Amino acid sequence: MTDHLVRTTWLFPLTFLCFFAPACQETQNATITDLSYRNMDFAVNLYRRISNYHDKNIFFSPLSISTTFAALLLATDGVTHEEILKGFNLQQLDRANQPEGIPQLFQLLHENITQNGSLKLEQDMAMFVSDKLDLEKTFEEQMGKYFEAEIKAVNFSDNGQSVVYINDYIKGKTKDRIKNMISTLDAETKLMLINTIFFRGDWKSPFNPNHTKTEAFYIDNYNVVNVQMMYKEARFFMGHDVFLGAKILKLPYDHGVSMLILLPNKDVDHTVIDDEINAHRFQGWFASMTEIKVEVHLPKFKMEESYELHKLLPEMGVSSLFTNTANLTKLHKDEDLKVSEVRHKAVIDVDETGTTAAAATTVGIIPYSLPPTFIVNRPFFFFIYHEDTNALLFMGRLIDPTTN
Ligand SMILES: *[C@@H]1O[C@H](CO)[C@@H](O)[C@H](O)[C@H]1NC(C)=O
Ligand SMILES: *[C@@H]1O[C@H](CO)[C@@H](O)[C@H](O)[C@H]1NC(C)=O
Ligand SMILES: *[C@@H]1O[C@H](CO)[C@@H](O)[C@H](O)[C@H]1NC(C)=O
Ligand SMILES: *[C@@H]1O[C@H](CO)[C@@H](O)[C@H](O)[C@H]1NC(C)=O
Ligand SMILES: *[C@@H]1O[C@H](CO)[C@@H](O)[C@H](O)[C@H]1NC(C)=O
Ligand SMILES: *[C@@H]1O[C@H](CO)[C@@H](O)[C@H](O)[C@H]1NC(C)=O
């Protein structure tokens, strides 16, 4: 039995978000808004799996991961296919007679998110296939049609050359931001899927770097670190989740994308909140928010996190894909293929402006009465989402801003 390696990697460098999600008109009765909603519950499930492993920072792109597996829906059949539908919470969007319905929804969502052209979202999916493997024509066509995925034939038996080829490809696609995506390749690799995504966003209302100063961040009762704390006083949407014991703040980026920060109250253990986040609650937060003048203190931070999804997803029921019982017959009829590796990598860099030059024009005004404060000086959760569709581009939790 040969080993076949499918490795998916997503990269999201820099400030913010990435990804997709949009909305759309009715397709087979399901809408991109339904898709976003379901994807959010998947995201939270995945989040809980990750948080079971450690109590550190977390950051990933739910939409990016789901999109890659929507592509794998086109490759799989039987039990493997069912497991993906179920694990990704897509079962109810599936129509027996419309195998392309879900990929089509993802496509519509993505179009909706990027339609404007102004959102700087670069994503790319490429499949590297052994030049010895003949792919099913239908699969190849669908990958191009719904995911604009390029399929590249690689001579995997020439290990060194393949690594160079793949790294060069990704480097080119990410405009030099990601230089050495892979360092080794298993000689048995037959198939590899790489998905890169890069989002760059600027705050609609930037922070003034002159107001950034060193302040304390309380990781827990015993650990305090110094951070570069940004400061801004402006009108923002803010709310409370009384049940969770947390405050919510929405910080908009340009072009219809926002970051929602969920800050547990001082006496609330953030691990309790892990179990309570879901799509329904997320939507409830919007209803609770009102626009108000508020003093915001938010640490600058960077995160670079990667996850081995082939280890996490089996716990969510997506298991046969990674074993010898994988049913990938829609990708290739004759061979016993399986997926040995799926990697996800996400990067975020939050600072005063995003990545471009400061454009702050804030003038300090002494208020007659002190505005409420939103001081992010302890572990918090954040969600970067597309407003029109509620598509969750990124989800994360920051426990310690000084570690990567
Ligand atoms: C995106 O989807 C939302 C929700 O369905 C819709 O209101 C909006 O008009 C769509 N935008 C575009 C550009 O298609
Ligand atoms: C989709 O909508 C059509 C027309 O409204 C309806 O007849 C059909 O039953 C719906 N299908 C599903 C699966 O909801
Ligand atoms: C894959 O699934 C299809 C549909 O259930 C089934 O007919 C086929 O035998 C399966 N093939 C493998 C190799 O499991
Ligand atoms: C693939 O690489 C191997 C090892 O370098 C080489 O022997 C073989 O000729 C190559 N095949 C093709 C089709 O280039
Ligand atoms: C498209 O971009 C323009 C200019 O930035 C903005 O005013 C508009 O709200 C955007 N529309 C959507 C649907 O994001
Ligand atoms: C920051 O301070 C410098 C020096 O006082 C000043 O020249 C600059 O305009 C300030 N920048 C902003 C964005 O206020």
Side-chain angles (χ1 to χ4, degrees):
M1 166 88 18
T2 44
D3 244 338
H4 299 269
L5 176 68
V6 176
R7 179 183 288 160
T8 352
T9 312
W10 293 265
L11 307 166
F12 315 76
L14 305 193
T15 310
F16 347 46
L17 310 218
C18 91
F19 229 124
F20 351 30
C24 62
Q25 62 272 40
E26 295 267 323
T27 315
Q28 29 157 64
N29 308 358
T31 64
I32 54 176
T33 310
D34 296 334
L35 178 60
S36 296
Y37 191 83
R38 299 190 163 276
N39 192 47
M40 189 168 298
D41 274 332
F42 157 74
V44 175
N45 281 339
L46 179 59
Y47 169 82
R48 287 197 197 107
R49 301 288 154 183
I50 299 170
S51 75
N52 279 346
Y53 280 95
H54 63 66
D55 196 23
K56 304 194 179 101
N57 297 341
I58 294 177
F59 184 63
F60 64 96
S61 171
L63 191 56
S64 174
I65 295 173
S66 296
T67 302
T68 299
F69 279 82
L72 283 172
L73 278 177
L74 295 169
T76 53
D77 204 351
V79 172
T80 307
H81 189 83
E82 291 304 314
E83 285 179 354
I84 295 174
L85 284 175
K86 200 167 170 214
F88 283 79
N89 200 25
L90 296 169
Q91 262 173 327
Q92 280 160 31
L93 302 182
D94 191 43
R95 301 287 175 267
N97 53 346
Q98 293 176 305
E100 293 171 44
I102 290 176
Q104 204 171 8
L105 267 186
F106 274 90
Q107 184 190 27
L108 285 168
L109 181 59
H110 183 247
E111 280 172 6
N112 184 295
I113 291 175
T114 54
Q115 198 141 30
N116 218 342
S118 43
L119 184 64
K120 290 177 208 148
L121 182 64
E122 295 158 25
Q123 53 136 1
D124 189 64
M125 199 191 297
M127 189 175 260
F128 299 93
V129 200
S130 161
D131 49 11
K132 296 181 190 66
L133 198 66
D134 288 322
L135 296 188
E136 290 296 318
K137 268 268 163 320
T138 315
F139 173 72
E140 233 178 310
E141 284 162 11
Q142 289 171 334
M143 283 291 280
K145 183 171 168 197
Y146 298 114
F147 302 102
E148 289 172 21
E150 294 188 52
I151 302 190
K152 308 254 168 210
V154 176
N155 180 0
F156 283 113
S157 33
D158 189 344
N159 213 293
Q161 210 35 55
S162 305
V163 170
V164 171
Y165 178 79
I166 291 166
N167 281 340
D168 279 354
Y169 176 85
I170 294 164
K171 185 173 166 235
K173 282 293 177 181
T174 60
K175 301 195 171 80
D176 287 358
R177 284 170 198 127
I178 297 146
K179 292 202 173 96
N180 293 303
M181 185 72 223
I182 56 170
S183 51
T184 56
L185 266 179
D186 192 313
E188 301 298 319
T189 303
K190 291 285 185 295
L191 194 155
M192 176 178 213
L193 189 58
I194 296 188
N195 179 330
T196 57
I197 178 151
F198 182 92
F199 171 81
R200 179 193 300 259
D202 292 326
W203 299 119
K204 200 167 232 166
S205 160
F207 291 81
N208 183 339
N210 288 353
H211 295 162
T212 299
K213 48 182 202 240
T214 306
E215 280 175 31
F217 187 95
Y218 302 87
I219 296 170
D220 54 36
N221 287 340
Y222 312 100
N223 297 287
V224 185
V225 293
N226 281 333
V227 294
Q228 286 299 298
M229 192 69 93
M230 307 186 290
Y231 165 85
K232 181 171 191 68
E233 187 187 311
R235 291 181 72 79
F236 288 111
F237 279 90
M238 191 168 118
H240 294 267
D241 186 319
V242 176
F243 177 82
L244 289 185
K247 289 200 286 189
I248 301 132
L249 179 74
K250 186 174 109 171
L251 293 175
Y253 290 111
D254 278 337
H255 312 306
V257 171
S258 283
M259 178 189 275
L260 198 75
I261 295 176
L262 180 75
L263 178 69
N265 294 339
K266 270 190 188 124
D267 52 344
V268 173
D269 179 357
H270 66 80
T271 56
V272 172
I273 290 186
D274 281 351
D275 295 332
E276 297 292 341
I277 302 172
N278 57 45
H280 180 68
R281 187 170 291 282
F282 186 84
Q283 299 205 324
W285 294 337
F286 294 111
S288 86
M289 290 194 286
T290 50
E291 198 174 17
I292 183 172
K293 188 173 192 181
V294 53
E295 213 183 80
V296 175
H297 301 249
L298 177 69
K300 284 170 75 160
F301 65 94
K302 283 182 197 191
M303 270 198 242
E304 189 171 326
E305 306 294 336
S306 53
Y307 300 100
E308 298 187 310
L309 297 176
H310 48 285
K311 294 188 178 158
L312 293 163
L313 290 172
E315 295 175 18
M316 295 169 72
V318 182
S319 54
S320 73
L321 189 62
F322 310 108
T323 71
N324 294 342
T325 60
N327 190 331
L328 287 157
T329 47
K330 288 188 171 170
L331 184 142
H332 183 73
K333 278 225 164 30
D334 310 322
E335 234 178 313
D336 294 329
L337 290 172
K338 70 172 175 182
V339 175
S340 10
E341 225 177 298
V342 182
R343 286 180 189 275
H344 177 69
K345 178 166 182 171
V347 180
I348 186 169
D349 186 346
V350 173
D351 65 12
E352 288 90 349
T353 62
T355 54
T356 56
T361 53
T362 329
V363 181
I365 295 169
I366 314 253
Y368 290 108
S369 63
L370 288 174
T373 56
F374 196 97
I375 305 177
V376 186
N377 62 358
R378 54 186 182 273
F380 64 98
F381 301 84
F382 63 95
F383 307 83
I384 299 173
Y385 70 102
H386 178 246
E387 305 220 15
D388 272 1
T389 58
N390 270 353
L392 190 55
L393 309 183
F394 292 98
M395 169 169 185
R397 125 184 131 185
L398 187 68
I399 304 294
D400 181 354
T402 63
T403 59
N404 229 339

